[in-house]
Amino acid sequence: MPTPPPNILYLHCHDAGRYVQPHGHPVPTPSLQRLAEEGVLFRQAFTPNPTCSPSRACLLTGQYAHVNGMLGLAHRGWKLNDYSHHLIHSLHDAGYTSALAGMQHIAKGQGVEPGPTIGYHRTLTLDPHFDAPTDAAIDFLHEDHDRPFFLALGYFAPHRGNVPHRPTQSFPALGPARDERYVQPPPTLPDTPETRRDFAEYTASMQSTDLCFGRVLEALDRTGLADNTLVIATTDHGVAFPHMKCRLTDYGTGVMLILRGPRRGFFRGGKVVDAMVSHLDVFPTVCELAGVEPPDRLHGKSLRPLVTGEADALHDQLFAEVNHHAAYEPMRAVRSDRHKYIRHFEDHGRPVLPNCDDGPSKTHLVARGWDRTALPREELYDLTLDPTEARNLADDPAHAATRDDLRARLDRWMSDTDDPLLQGPIPLPAGGVTTDPAAYSPDGSPAP
């Protein structure tokens, strides 16, 4: 008797990067840790666009942002060129039903919009804050299912923001933050009381998100659905700290990615994959497991060969981009196993502060002159000898050959994918909203 197509549970959250327990960071996330120990952890997973809506759009269409049309944030006017390119429509054609709980952020609205815009069969809830989407997902799992399903469950956290019972610009959480005296901030930040307090808040928010993940995974076990369900757990991009979110460094594009199940499948056994992979690889992977013919338009590859041992690598290089975020800051990058090359297409000359979410760490750095530091037009990093991407080698004659090679690779990719940036600055869509790059805050307000 043939194995039925697997259900798919897509768990995602905002702004977590790889700062979770399975990646070795002191951020207790036992639900994600268990998922990794039972499934497959991709240590070198990257988003093609480290901004909120474009990252999700890349994963769910299998296409680069400048190809699928999501060149900026959905709530600022951007949208997909064609919502029928969303993964759920390929699954619908194969007999799947689909449901949305919480955050989606690829259609109009502050992260939420009723399902018909995208095409979900059911919208369970549009509230992306902890209990509401969790409870809705659990109720859905307890229903009788006569068809395989795709359930998307998204959380606002650990995005910074003003949510009930939490101060403005803190990270939302279900409980108090850890004792900040014993917290180590990311290596891109100085170790100060301000940055420790900030990262303690992030940790509490991610722990709360993990608690919700765990409740849903427990329901999956309780209903007997876990044996034939592929669980995909990821985030959109790096954490909302300076030098991370909205940057093309590994701290911006690096994401957690864990796949588990089905039980008779190959995403099992506590495996760890060190090869570079992309969010773009999720769509073709789902197609393969679901027995769906992948569309010709996809830019990624199935992850299966890495897990089965048929291949040691999928990609010689990965590409990434930023276009519009809060402010317009077009950038492109190419990453090999050893090197990263980044090109800036606007001469801002200094950090574009609106593209960094406000918070204590940003305030601390700006007070000490971060806003006046030089921003080069080209960047080149040796990721082996300089993993924090602190020493720019773009003008070093000893690395000119590497720079020129990566320059040429980036140019070919832009040409092959008909990148609109080749024709000049990318305009806003009708009704689109942007912030002056010279402003301080994403909403254009001045420094506190």
Side-chain angles (χ1 to χ4, degrees), residues 5 61 84-96 282-298 302:
T61 66
S84 73
H85 289 178
H86 191 292
L87 172 60
I88 57 172
H89 295 287
S90 292
L91 295 174
H92 289 169
D93 292 343
Y96 276 72
V282 171
F283 196 133
T285 303
V286 169
C287 286
E288 184 167 359
L289 266 67
V292 174
E293 185 67 26
D296 292 339
R297 63 179 178 270
L298 302 185
S302 172

Side-chain angles (χ1 to χ4, degrees), residues 49-74:
N49 191 311
T51 60
C52 306
S53 298
S55 172
R56 290 173 170 83
C58 291
L59 186 151
L60 291 166
T61 66
Q63 298 175 304
Y64 293 109
H66 68 260
V67 176
N68 66 43
M70 192 62 71
L71 292 155
L73 301 175

Side-chain angles (χ1 to χ4, degrees), residues 9 62 64 84 144 163 168 179 189 193-194 215 255 316 398 407:
L9 174 58
Y64 293 109
S84 73
D144 292 329
V163 296
T168 299
D179 189 331
L189 297 173
E194 295 85 356
R215 289 180 57 205
V255 292
D316 295 327
R407 269 182 184 168

